[in-house]
C-alpha cells in the first residue's frame, strides 16, 4: 500500500507543477486587456477617437471617481462633465451601461488603457509584423508539449498501478518492456515526427516566393529618407498613379531631372549608407543619374541626339529592381486602397520615408490581406447626411442594421472583401 501511495503522490505533485506551469501568470495579468477587448473595444480605442472618445488621458479630464458612476450607468448621469460629453458625442448615441463591472475590474481596464501603446512602426529591416501569430503558435506548441508530458506520466502511472494490483492478486506478468522498445511509444514517436516534418514542409511550400525584407541593390542608391523624409517630397509626386490606377508606378528619369537639373551635389544632413554599412557618395550617385538621363552637368544641357533615336545620346531608362511582386493569380489595385479605402502608404509599405533603400515591409501573404479586410472599415454611405461613399448606398440591409443599432460600422469583409474571386483571377 505504501508503495502505491508513493507512486501516486509523486505523479500527483508532478502533475500539479505542470498544470501551474501551463497557467503562466500572464493569463491573470491580462485581465484588463481581455475585459477591454470584449466590452469596450467595439466603441473605444485607447489612443484614438472612435465611436466613443479616445480613453487615454481620462484621469486628467474627469472628476475624481466619476468613472465608476459613468460606467455603471452612463444614461442616468447628469453632472456637467457627463452632459458636456453627451452633447459632444450626440451622434454616437449614449454609451452602453455596464452595471456588472466591479471597481477593480474597471481599474484593470483603465490600467490597460493607460499602458497601451500602438504597435511600434518598424525600425530597421529585420522586423516582422506577424509577431502575433508567432506568439500564438509558440503558446500552442508549449501547451501541446505539456499535454503530451501529462499523457505520458498518466500512462506510466497507469501501468505501474496495474503492475502493483497484478502483483497483489498474484498474477504472473512478464518483465515490462522498457519504454524505448515499447511499440506504442515508438509508433507515437514516428507519427509525431511525420506530423512535424509535414508541418515544416507545408509551411516552407506556402512561404515559397514570399520575400519579406527583400532589399535588392539598386542601379542608383536612391534614398527615400533624403527625398520623402528630409525634403518632404510627396509620395504622389513620384508615385502619382497610385491614386487612380492599379499600379503605383515608378517615376521616369524625366521626373528626377525636374529637380536634378539644378541639384548636382549631395550636401544633405542624412548619412548615406548601404545595409552592410558601406558609405555611399551621394554626388557620385547623382552623376549616375546624369548618365542615364544623357545630361551634361558641365554644359548644363542634354547631350545632342546624333543617332536620331529620340533621346539624348547615351540616355537609357534606369532598370530599378522590382521589390514588391504579388503572384500572377492575385489581383491588387492601389487606387481601390488609396483613393476609395483611404489607406496610408505606410500601413502596407512601412515607414518608407525613413528607409535608405526600400525593402519589403509586409509579408504580402494572403493572411495579411484578409486580416486587414476583416478589421478595416469602409467609408460607408451615411443616409442621414449623405456623407461617405455613395457607391455603398445600395446596401439596404446594412443601412437598416445601422439604423436599428445592430451594427455600428461596415468592414471590408462585409462587402465581400474576403471572397476568393475578388482577389484571384
Ligand atoms: C456602444 C458603444 C460603447 C461601449 C461598448 C463603451 N462605450 Fe464608453 N463611451 C461611448 C460613447 C459614445 C461615449 C461618449 C459619451 C456618450 O455619448 O455617451 C463614451 C464615453 C466613455 C468615457 C468618458 C470618456 C471621457 O472622455 O471622459 C469613458 C471613461 C468610457 N466611455 C469608458 C468605457 C468603458 C470602460 C467601456 C467598457 C467597459 C466602454 N466605455 C464601453 C460608447 C461606448
Ligand atoms: C522623388 C521621387 C520619389 C518619391 C518622392 C517617393 N518615391 Fe518611392 N520610389 C521612387 C523610385 C525611383 C523607386 C524605385 C527605386 C527603389 O526601389 O528604391 C521607388 C520605390 C518605391 C517602392 C518600392 C517599389 C517596388 O519596387 O516594389 C515603394 C513601396 C515606394 N517607393 C513607396 C514610396 C512612398 C510610400 C513614398 C512617400 C513616403 C515614396 N515612395 C516617395 C521614387 C520616389
Ligand atoms: C522634387 C525634387 C526632386 C526630385 C523629383 C528628385 N530628387 Fe533627388 N534629390 C533632391 C534633393 C533636394 C536632394 C538632396 C540634396 C541635398 O540635400 O544636398 C536629392 C538627392 C538625391 C541623391 C543623393 C542622395 C541619395 O539619395 O543617394 C540622389 C542619388 C538622387 N537625389 C537621385 C534622384 C533620382 C534617381 C530621382 C528620380 C527618381 C530623384 N532624385 C528625384 C530632390 C529631388
Ligand atoms: C493596402 C496595401 C497597400 C497600400 C495602402 C499601398 N500599397 Fe503599394 N503595394 C502594395 C502591394 C500589395 C504591392 C505589390 C503589387 C503587385 O505586385 O502587383 C505594392 C506595390 C507598390 C509599388 C511597386 C510598383 C507597383 O505599382 O507594383 C510602389 C511604387 C508602391 N506600391 C507605392 C505605394 C505608394 C506610394 C502608396 C501610397 C500612396 C502605396 N503603395 C500604398 C500594397 C499597398
Ligand atoms: C491595410 C489594410 C488592407 C490591406 C493590407 C489590404 N487591403 Fe484590400 N482593401 C482594404 C480596404 C479598406 C478596402 C475597401 C475599399 C472600399 O471602400 O471599397 C479594400 C478593398 C479591396 C478589394 C475590393 C473588395 C470589394 O469587395 O470590392 C480588393 C479586391 C482588395 N482589397 C484586394 C487586396 C489584396 C489582394 C490585398 C493583399 C495583397 C489587400 N487587399 C490588402 C484594405 C486593405
Ligand atoms: C484579400 C485578398 C484575397 C482573398 C479574398 C483570397 N485570397 Fe488567396 N491569395 C491572396 C494572396 C495575396 C496570395 C499570395 C500569397 C503568397 O504569395 O504567399 C494568395 C494565395 C492563394 C493560394 C496559393 C497558396 C499560397 O498561399 O500562396 C491559394 C490556393 C489561394 N490563395 C486560395 C484562395 C481561396 C480558396 C480563397 C477564398 C476562400 C482566397 N484565396 C481568397 C489573396 C487573397
Amino acid at each position: 500500500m505504501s508503495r502505491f501511495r508513493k507512486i501516486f503522490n509523486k505523479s500527483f505533485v508532478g502533475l500539479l507543477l505542470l498544470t501551474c506551469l501551463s497557467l503562466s501568470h500572464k493569463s491573470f495579468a491580462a485581465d484588463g486587456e481581455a475585459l477591454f477587448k470584449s466590452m469596450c473595444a467595439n466603441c473605444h480605442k485607447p489612443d484614438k477617437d472612435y465611436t466613443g472618445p479616445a480613453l487615454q488621458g481620462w484621469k486628467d479630464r474627469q472628476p475624481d471617481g466619476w468613472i465608476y458612476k459613468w460606467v455603471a450607468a452612463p444614461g442616468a448621469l447628469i453632472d456637467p462633465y457627463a452632459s458636456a460629453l453627451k452633447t459632444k458625442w450626440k451622434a454616437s448615441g449614449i454609451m452602453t451601461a455596464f452595471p456588472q463591472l466591479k471597481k477593480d475590474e474597471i481599474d484593470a481596464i483603465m490600467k490597460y488603457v493607460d499602458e497601451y501603446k500602438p504597435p511600434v512602426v518598424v525600425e530597421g529591416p529585420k522586423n516582422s509584423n506577424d509577431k502575433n501569430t508567432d506568439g500564438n503558435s509558440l503558446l500552442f506548441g508549449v501547451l501541446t508539449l505539456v499535454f503530451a508530458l501529462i499523457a505520458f506520466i498518466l500512462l506510466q502511472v497507469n501501468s505501474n498501478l496495474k503492475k502493483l494490483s497484478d502483483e497483489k492478486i498474484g498474477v504472473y506478468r512478464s518483465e515490462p518492456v522498457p519504454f524505448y522498445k515499447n511499440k506504442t511509444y515508438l509508433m507515437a514517436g514516428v507519427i509525431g515526427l511525420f506530423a512535424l516534418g509535414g508541418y515544416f514542409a507545408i509551411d516552407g511550400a506556402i512561404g515559397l516566393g514570399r520575400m519579406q525584407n527583400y532589399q535588392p541593390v539598386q542601379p542608383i542608391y536612391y534614398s527615400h529618407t533624403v527625398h520623402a523624409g528630409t525634403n518632404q517630397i510627396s509620395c504622389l509626386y513620384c508615385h502619382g498613379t497610385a491614386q487612380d490606377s492599379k499600379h503605383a508606378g515608378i517615376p521616369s528619369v524625366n521626373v528626377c531631372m525636374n529637380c536634378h537639373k539644378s541639384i548636382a551635389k549631395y550636401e544633405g544632413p542624412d548619412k548615406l549608407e548601404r545595409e552592410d554599412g558601406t558609405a555611399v557618395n551621394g554626388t557620385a550617385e547623382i552623376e549616375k543619374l546624369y548618365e542615364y538621363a544623357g545630361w551634361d552637368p558641365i554644359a548644363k544641357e542634354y547631350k545632342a541626339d546624333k543617332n536620331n533615336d529620340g533621346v539624348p545620346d547615351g540616355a537609357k531608362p534606369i532598370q530599378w529592381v522590382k521589390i514588391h511582386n504579388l503572384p500572377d493569380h492575385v489581383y491588387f489595385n492601389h487606387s481601390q486602397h488609396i483613393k476609395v479605402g483611404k489607406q496610408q502608404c505606410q500601413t502596407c509599405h512601412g515607414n518608407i520615408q525613413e528607409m535608405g533603400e526600400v525593402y519589403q515591409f509586409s509579408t504580402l501573404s494572403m493572411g495579411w490581406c484578409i486580416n486587414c479586410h476583416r478589421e478595416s472599415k469602409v467609408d460607408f454611405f451615411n443616409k442621414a447626411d449623405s456623407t461617405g461613399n455613395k457607391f455603398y448606398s445600395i446596401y439596404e440591409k446594412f443601412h437598416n442594421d445601422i439604423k436599428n443599432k445592430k451594427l455600428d460600422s461596415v468592414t471590408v469583409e462585409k462587402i465581400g472583401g474576403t471572397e476568393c474571386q475578388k482577389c484571384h483571377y
Side-chain angles (χ1 to χ4, degrees), residues 220-224 226-227 231 233 237-238 251-253 255-260 263 265-269 272 280-283 285-286 289 318 320:
I220 294 179
Y221 181 94
Y222 166 83
S223 160
H224 276 73
V226 171
H227 291 85
N231 287 295
I233 306 170
Y237 183 89
C238 294
S252 71
V253 182
V255 176
C256 312
M257 290 309 289
N258 287 344
C259 297
H260 282 286
I263 305 173
K265 285 205 175 73
Y266 177 70
E267 292 160 340
L272 308 177
V280 174
N281 178 344
T283 306
E285 298 296 317
I286 296 176
L289 169 64
I318 308 171
W320 301 109

Side-chain angles (χ1 to χ4, degrees), residues 326 330-333 336-337 340-344 347-348 364-366 368-370 372-373 376-379 389 391-392 395 412 415-418 422-423:
L326 287 169
V330 182
Y331 172 80
F332 176 85
N333 189 322
Q336 197 158 34
H337 289 86
V340 187
K342 306 214 159 44
Q343 297 297 311
Q344 298 293 316
T347 315
C348 298
L364 303 195
S365 67
M366 179 161 145
W368 174 72
C369 312
I370 301 255
C372 185
H373 285 184
S376 303
K377 302 192 172 83
V378 297
D379 185 16
N389 188 344
F391 179 76
Y392 297 130
Y395 288 95
V412 184
I415 58 156
T418 52
K422 287 271 171 77
C423 301

Side-chain angles (χ1 to χ4, degrees), residues 221-425:
Y221 181 94
Y222 166 83
S223 160
H224 276 73
T225 312
V226 171
H227 291 85
T230 308
N231 287 295
Q232 300 271 312
I233 306 170
S234 153
C235 309
L236 295 174
Y237 183 89
C238 294
H239 302 293
T241 54
Q243 268 190 315
D244 40 39
S245 80
K246 184 171 179 296
H247 285 289
I250 301 293
S252 71
V253 182
N254 289 341
V255 176
C256 312
M257 290 309 289
N258 287 344
C259 297
H260 282 286
K261 279 182 193 164
S262 53
I263 305 173
K265 285 205 175 73
Y266 177 70
E267 292 160 340
D270 300 295
K271 232 172 82 196
L272 308 177
E273 59 180 27
R274 289 188 196 279
E275 186 54 15
D276 60 11
T278 45
V280 174
N281 178 344
T283 306
E285 298 296 317
I286 296 176
E287 277 158 14
K288 283 193 204 162
L289 169 64
Y290 291 158
E291 286 288 309
Y292 284 105
W295 174 262
D296 182 343
I298 296 161
K300 288 204 184 297
E301 59 183 20
Y302 285 110
K303 292 174 188 155
D305 179 16
K306 288 193 190 118
N307 57 8
N308 266 325
D309 59 356
V311 293
D313 288 343
K316 55 179 192 273
I318 308 171
Q319 294 190 337
W320 301 109
V321 183
K322 191 163 168 45
I323 301 164
H324 299 76
N325 203 2
L326 287 169
D328 288 346
H329 56 77
V330 182
Y331 172 80
F332 176 85
N333 189 322
H334 270 92
S335 63
Q336 197 158 34
H337 289 86
I338 310 294
K339 192 115 179 229
V340 187
K342 306 214 159 44
Q343 297 297 311
Q344 298 293 316
C345 312
Q346 282 79 356
T347 315
C348 298
H349 291 299
N351 280 342
I352 292 267
Q353 72 280 4
E354 291 167 9
M355 293 182 193
E357 283 192 294
V358 180
Y359 61 87
Q360 181 176 320
F361 169 79
S362 303
T363 54
L364 303 195
S365 67
M366 179 161 145
W368 174 72
C369 312
I370 301 255
N371 278 343
C372 185
H373 285 184
R374 290 203 173 121
E375 284 163 11
S376 303
K377 302 192 172 83
V378 297
D379 185 16
F380 202 67
F381 182 65
N382 186 342
K383 276 195 169 166
D385 54 8
S386 293
T387 53
N389 188 344
K390 287 223 172 52
F391 179 76
Y392 297 130
S393 57
I394 55 172
Y395 288 95
E396 278 303 328
K397 180 176 177 301
F398 294 146
H399 285 289
N400 287 335
D401 284 354
I402 287 177
K403 212 156 90 204
N404 302 333
K405 303 246 171 237
K406 274 196 222 149
L407 206 68
D408 55 36
S409 55
V410 177
T411 57
V412 184
E413 181 175 29
K414 290 218 172 73
I415 58 156
T418 52
E419 285 163 16
C420 317
Q421 75 276 14
K422 287 271 171 77
C423 301
H424 289 291
Y425 288 108

